[in-house]
Amino acid sequence: FSISKAAWTFAVYIAGDNNLEYYGILDMLEMAMVGTTPEMNIVVQFDRAEGYDTSLDNWTEAKRFLVTEGMVPTNESAYEDLGEVDMGDVVTLTDFAVDTFGRFGADRTCLVLWDHGMNWHGGCCRDMASANDSLKTDEMRAALGAAVEVIGGRVDIVGFDACLMASLEVGYSFKELVVDFVAPESTEPGTGWPYDSILMPLRENPSMGSDELASRVVSEYVQEYVDGWVNCMAAFRVDLLSTTVKDALTEFADSLMAEDDKYYGHISAARSAVDTLERIPG
């Protein structure tokens, strides 16, 4: 490639080695409706599965793409073939983040983790071909730490196109490494983020700041599913995730666990009485 420093590098880690493979293809086609420009790089690592979708050469290993306008994710359009990798392994995510932000330099950076999500409990980016391995919060933090060293500053946005990932535990794990954190509190439909609607304004205004792009993800997502879906997406400034709240919550949880027999009935009654979105299995 002939690469000059851009305003933004928007990187998407599509862990499609499972039953969401088809939707990964759809999302890449949405990105290609906008495409990379001199001021905005759209970079994807996509690991496909066997047995769910056989289109576009039916490749099943992991490949990397610089998504250009009108591109389709075929063998020929990839700039790198990684072979079969474990997308739930910290080494795989670290390599993608370090290589992408080093190769496609930019003033601002965004890393989106795409797949099934189970919050702090089960992580995200489940790889069916690797015994359903998934990335946990400590692994994500380690990968981001390596990315920060390459960038020379914080990653501007970490986003999750994955269910249930907006929580204090996940967001707090990015403290001192990330500026803004974007994720859904509830489940997502298979089609996930509307990448064309999110990226077109960034193409038109590459000077957009991380707070504006994070807000754009929320507003475009909510507009996309205004009818017929539990419509939850949130953006947080990571530095404002209060240490006081984290410490207070830890103290409260430790107290409850120390005397769980005493408080079990009260906790159960309180949980049953509140409105809920989705419950993490297990």
Side-chain angles (χ1 to χ4, degrees), residues 3-264:
I3 303 170
S4 58
K5 190 171 185 180
W8 276 93
T9 290
F10 189 94
V12 188
Y13 186 78
I14 300 183
D17 202 345
N18 52 56
N19 62 341
L20 295 181
E21 178 190 13
Y22 168 73
Y23 297 106
I25 293 171
L26 292 185
D27 281 346
M28 280 201 68
L29 294 175
E30 287 181 350
M31 296 175 213
M33 293 173 68
V34 181
T36 290
T37 71
E39 290 298 319
M40 178 182 67
N41 302 305
I42 305 172
V43 186
V44 172
Q45 179 166 312
F46 186 9
D47 187 12
R48 290 180 61 178
E50 292 187 11
Y52 290 102
D53 188 287
T54 60
S55 65
L56 303 177
D57 298 334
N58 193 28
W59 50 274
T60 59
E61 61 280 2
K63 298 182 186 295
R64 288 178 179 164
F65 302 85
L66 179 64
V67 182
T68 54
E69 189 171 359
M71 191 203 79
V72 291
T74 62
N75 285 314
E76 186 177 19
S77 60
Y79 71 79
E80 188 172 1
D81 186 337
L82 302 174
E84 187 55 50
V85 300
D86 178 2
M87 296 287 277
D89 190 318
V90 62
V91 173
T92 308
L93 176 60
T94 300
D95 184 68
F96 174 63
V98 168
D99 182 77
T100 298
F101 295 139
R103 186 190 302 249
F104 302 98
D107 296 326
R108 297 186 178 92
T109 52
C110 175
L111 175 64
V112 179
L113 303 185
W114 182 110
D115 190 31
H116 289 291
M118 290 181 62
N119 206 280
W120 59 268
H121 181 268
C124 73
C125 297
R126 179 170 60 86
D127 194 307
M128 183 183 69
S130 300
N132 288 323
D133 192 17
S134 63
L135 292 165
K136 307 304 189 295
T137 52
D138 59 337
E139 294 178 308
M140 298 176 217
R141 179 172 176 82
L144 285 164
V148 163
E149 290 187 15
V150 169
I151 296 167
R154 300 186 190 197
V155 175
D156 288 279
I157 297 175
V158 165
F160 287 88
D161 193 353
C163 298
L164 303 169
M165 295 303 293
S167 74
L168 177 65
E169 297 90 346
V170 175
Y172 193 84
S173 69
F174 303 139
K175 203 164 183 66
E176 299 179 352
L177 298 175
V178 173
V179 179
D180 290 308
F181 161 51
V182 186
E185 303 96 321
S186 185
T187 55
E188 288 188 344
T191 45
W193 289 16
Y195 287 93
D196 51 338
S197 300
I198 291 166
L199 290 170
M200 187 57 77
L202 186 60
R203 172 175 173 160
E204 294 170 350
N205 178 23
S207 63
M208 187 182 296
S210 65
D211 56 345
E212 188 176 350
L213 180 56
S215 297
R216 174 71 62 175
V217 174
V218 174
S219 61
E220 295 297 338
Y221 180 91
V222 169
Q223 184 61 37
E224 181 78 5
Y225 303 109
V226 68
D227 297 316
W229 195 265
V230 177
N231 215 340
C232 296
M233 185 66 65
F236 306 88
R237 180 55 54 93
V238 173
D239 280 351
L240 299 182
L241 290 172
S242 171
T243 300
T244 304
V245 173
K246 179 258 185 187
D247 290 344
L249 183 60
T250 299
E251 182 180 353
F252 177 63
D254 288 344
S255 298
L256 292 181
M257 288 188 292
E259 298 188 75
D260 58 344
D261 291 340
K262 178 179 178 180
Y263 295 116
Y264 181 83

